[in-house]
Amino acid sequence: MRLEDIRGIRAMRDIRGIGSAARAALNTANLSTPLGLALAAAARTPLRRGPGGLFIAEHYRPRLPAAAAFVVGNVVFTRGRAEDLLARPALFGHEARHATQYAACLGLPFLPLYAVAAAYSAARTGNPGSLNPFEQIAGLEAGGYPRRRTRPLPPPASTPAGSHRHGVRKP
């Protein structure tokens, strides 16, 4: 199956072209940016205005998530300084594309959708980004994710002796 065949992925690719003002308005209305601002306040991270209507929350210290940078709405969190993030335009662009994905997913639904995609990718490749369509659209290399081959799926669990399969008892 191609990435473009997954329902909704084509729409997410199309929304990437929306302007930064529209993305900011959508992510404010869908509550993802207010959540990001609340997280920044709770984590006591200094906020700076960044390009494209994004905020940059510097010096994020909590251990989770373990990423060097991540996004909640229009708030980009980084463990370092804003200047260091902006000096890596590929990574900043990757995070900006995630902000657009929040808008495409109508805000907070992005979080469980991303979690499911990351879990699937981790199970199939050992890496949460390699098969994750959100990371593929944002750019694997720009986000620091490797391209990994899929692992075979584990065999289905065997039925213990004497158990009933499909409700039918064997004579």
Side-chain angles (χ1 to χ4, degrees):
M1 176 183 336
R2 296 175 329 153
L3 184 63
E4 290 79 15
D5 294 336
I6 300 172
R7 184 183 173 131
I9 296 297
R10 190 173 298 118
M12 195 180 309
R13 285 186 187 276
D14 293 343
I15 200 169
R16 287 189 305 182
I18 69 170
S20 58
R23 177 180 62 203
L26 287 168
N27 283 341
T28 298
N30 68 32
L31 302 180
S32 59
T33 296
L35 177 64
L37 294 171
L39 177 60
R44 297 184 178 172
T45 59
L47 278 173
R48 309 262 308 264
R49 285 213 177 259
L54 299 172
F55 294 96
I56 302 173
E58 304 178 286
H59 306 293
Y60 180 78
R61 296 289 174 235
R63 293 185 339 179
L64 294 176
F70 69 96
V71 176
V72 178
N74 267 29
V75 183
V76 180
F77 290 81
T78 181
R79 297 190 180 282
R81 299 177 318 141
E83 293 83 8
D84 297 335
L85 177 62
L86 293 171
R88 299 175 63 191
L91 177 58
F92 186 77
H94 174 91
E95 300 305 334
R97 286 185 285 281
H98 282 314
T100 303
Q101 291 170 354
Y102 271 92
C105 292
L106 305 177
L108 301 180
F110 173 84
L111 295 169
L113 292 170
Y114 184 92
V116 168
Y120 174 78
S121 179
R124 292 303 313 273
T125 68
N127 182 278
S130 295
L131 278 183
N132 182 333
F134 294 102
E135 294 300 345
Q136 290 177 344
I137 291 169
L140 289 176
E141 292 82 12
Y145 292 100
R147 290 191 184 276
R148 290 196 180 159
R149 290 187 174 165
T150 58
R151 299 188 239 184
L153 290 173
S158 61
T159 307
S163 67
H164 307 296
R165 207 169 176 188
H166 304 294
V168 178
R169 205 179 256 227
K170 289 186 177 181

